[in-house]
């Protein structure tokens, strides 16, 4: 089968198109899936450059989103049959989604929403499940809460805006000025141009000095130390970005803030909640661009390049 293989860690140049053996069912609970589309996540290029050396052995097929159809099932599989449309995240540390076929356990699968294309569905599993974890499981967001989503135009941010709005929150977000109308269309009540405005000052002005109940961090940098100045007393900050260096959290201490650190993970239970929101029309994946799998190097360059010709808006998808 066709696959993108990483034989050495490094930049996008190490992503090589190759022919590899098609996996076959060896366990009664396994399912073989024909991959129709996948998507690119920061986790993909982190694996590619060697951030998780202890969890992988070269060569690697990376990728953490799949939409496709069931081709074959093991003898013990009762809930799936060939022809079923599915979407899911491969288990972290195992074979990834940049391949024509993927072998997985039936417990990872979710039924693909009928109102999505394969390309749209591929944008959902990892980011959608992560957002549910951040907003509901960790922050315990409820109707009437105020939330600031830092980085609303990204793959996680575009889901976070929609899901937070569907749960009844008042949504603030940051984004490039030319994306303001699109971010508002997703459900953002207030959009702050972080290139020309200080988001802390803007939040303080909009909330009369109270701050927001919840902050979602998809940016990193000094956000963990700075953002509590925009947080309400006893507020919550949830981040999925690792900490590059020690930070002073004195502002968080003053606010009695709670921090949650979320490592993007695969959870079928959380994806089910997002599926229902998609099927009801409350959430729709946002696609930045679609590349053929053969053009994966340029796709990786787009997500990593800080000097893009146009701002990133939503998920980058690879079509097979």
């Amino acid at each position: 089968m066709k696959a993108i293989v990483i034989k050495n860690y490094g930049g996008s140049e190490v992503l090589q198109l190759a022919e590899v053996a098609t996996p076959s069912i060896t366990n009664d609970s396994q399912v073989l899936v024909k991959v129709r589309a996948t998507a690119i996540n920061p986790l993909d290029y982190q694996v590619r450059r060697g951030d998780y050396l202890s969890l992988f052995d070269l060569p690697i097929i990376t990728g953490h989103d799949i939409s496709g159809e069931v081709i074959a099932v093991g003898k013990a599989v009762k809930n799936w049959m060939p022809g079923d449309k599915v979407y899911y995240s491969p288990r972290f540390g195992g074979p990834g989604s940049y391949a024509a076929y993927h072998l997985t356990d039936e417990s990872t699968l979710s039924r693909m929403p009928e109102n999505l294309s394969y390309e749209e569905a591929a944008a959902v599993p990892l980011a959608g499940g992560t957002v549910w974890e951040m907003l509901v499981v960790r922050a315990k967001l409820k109707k009437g809460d105020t939330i600031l989503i830092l980085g609303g135009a990204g793959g996680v941010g575009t889901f976070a805006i929609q899901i937070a709005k569907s749960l009844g929150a008042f949504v603030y977000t940051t984004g490039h000025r030319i994306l303001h109308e699109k971010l508002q269309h997703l459900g953002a009540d207030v959009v702050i141009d972080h290139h020309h405005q200080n988001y802390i000052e803007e939040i303080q002005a909009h909330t009369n000095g109270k701050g927001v109940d919840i902050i979602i961090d998809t940016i990193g940098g000094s956000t963990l130390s700075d953002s509590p100045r925009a947080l309400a007393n006893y507020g919550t900050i949830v981040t999925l970005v690792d900490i590059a260096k020690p930070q002073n959290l004195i502002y968080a201490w003053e606010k009695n803030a709670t921090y949650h650190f979320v490592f993007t993970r695969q959870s079928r239970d959380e994806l089910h909640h997002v599926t229902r929101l998609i099927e009801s029309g409350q959430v729709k994946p946002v696609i930045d661009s679609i590349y053929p799998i053969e053009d994966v190097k340029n796709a990786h360059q787009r997500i990593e390049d800080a000097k893009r010709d146009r701002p990133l808006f939503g998920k980058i998808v690879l079509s097979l």
Side-chain angles (χ1 to χ4, degrees):
M1 69 173 179
K2 178 170 61 177
I4 302 298
V5 178
I6 299 169
K7 296 181 180 179
N8 298 287
Y9 295 116
S12 60
E13 74 280 354
V14 304
L15 298 164
Q16 300 295 323
L17 182 65
E19 285 291 328
V20 301
T22 301
S24 56
I25 292 174
T26 58
N27 183 294
D28 288 348
S29 65
Q30 289 179 328
V31 175
L32 182 63
V33 174
K34 169 62 179 173
V35 180
R36 297 295 185 182
T38 181
I40 294 180
N41 298 280
L43 191 58
D44 301 358
Y45 64 72
Q46 291 165 3
V47 170
R48 187 206 70 212
R49 68 193 184 191
D51 290 13
Y52 300 99
L53 288 168
S54 63
L55 299 178
F56 293 91
D57 293 319
L58 293 170
I60 299 167
I61 298 174
T62 191
H64 300 87
D65 287 300
I66 287 177
S67 67
E69 60 184 277
V70 174
I71 297 298
V73 300
K75 294 178 181 178
V77 175
K78 305 299 182 184
N79 296 321
W80 305 99
M81 60 186 299
D84 285 343
K85 293 184 177 182
V86 297
Y87 72 156
Y88 62 101
S89 292
R91 299 289 187 191
F92 186 66
S97 59
Y98 292 6
Y101 295 90
H102 187 262
L103 186 66
T104 190
D105 191 88
E106 66 169 325
S107 64
T108 67
L109 299 179
S110 291
R111 198 168 302 278
M112 193 178 117
E114 294 183 1
N115 57 339
L116 295 185
S117 66
Y118 282 120
E119 287 77 16
E120 289 172 326
V124 177
L126 197 63
T130 297
V131 168
W132 190 267
E133 167 90 9
M134 296 178 80
L135 297 184
V136 180
V137 179
R138 302 299 187 90
K140 302 189 185 305
L141 182 145
K142 61 186 182 301
K143 185 177 181 179
D145 281 345
T146 54
I147 183 170
L148 168 62
I149 298 164
L150 295 167
V156 168
T158 51
F159 276 111
I161 291 170
Q162 295 179 80
I163 294 175
K165 199 64 185 175
S166 75
L167 297 172
F170 188 92
V171 180
Y172 298 90
T173 192
T174 60
H176 197 288
R177 181 175 298 169
I178 66 174
L179 297 177
H180 280 205
E181 185 175 343
K182 291 181 177 180
L183 293 168
Q184 288 171 333
H185 182 72
L186 290 180
D189 295 288
V190 176
V191 183
I192 300 166
D193 181 1
H194 59 290
H195 293 285
H196 299 94
Q197 296 172 294
N198 182 303
Y199 76 86
I200 296 170
E201 294 176 356
E202 291 296 316
I203 292 295
Q204 289 291 341
H206 279 282
T207 63
N208 295 317
K210 178 185 175 182
V212 295
D213 300 307
I214 298 166
I215 294 176
I216 298 296
D217 171 31
T218 72
I219 302 298
S222 62
T223 302
L224 289 184
S225 58
D226 295 340
S227 62
R229 296 162 64 193
L231 191 69
N233 288 327
Y234 298 96
T236 299
I237 297 173
V238 187
T239 182
L240 52 72
V241 187
D242 56 4
I243 304 173
K245 58 183 179 180
Q247 297 190 28
N248 187 336
L249 302 182
I250 186 65
Y251 296 120
W253 174 78
E254 293 173 351
K255 295 293 182 70
N256 281 288
T258 299
Y259 279 93
H260 290 275
F261 299 88
V262 175
F263 176 76
T264 304
R265 64 178 185 174
Q266 299 77 12
S267 173
R268 184 173 71 167
D269 293 338
E270 289 164 358
L271 185 57
H272 285 341
H273 295 291
V274 179
T275 299
R276 287 196 289 269
L277 292 175
I278 291 171
E279 291 176 334
S280 68
Q282 297 179 78
V283 171
K284 187 175 178 63
V286 177
I287 306 299
D288 172 85
S289 49
I290 300 174
Y291 292 78
I293 189 73
E294 295 83 359
D295 202 15
V296 64
K297 295 178 185 179
N298 285 331
H300 267 239
Q301 289 168 7
R302 171 149 180 78
I303 196 173
E304 289 183 275
D305 189 2
K307 299 180 180 179
R308 307 178 183 95
D309 57 350
R310 61 182 175 85
L312 190 69
F313 185 59
K315 291 293 295 270
I316 299 171
V317 173
L318 300 174
S319 176
L320 283 83

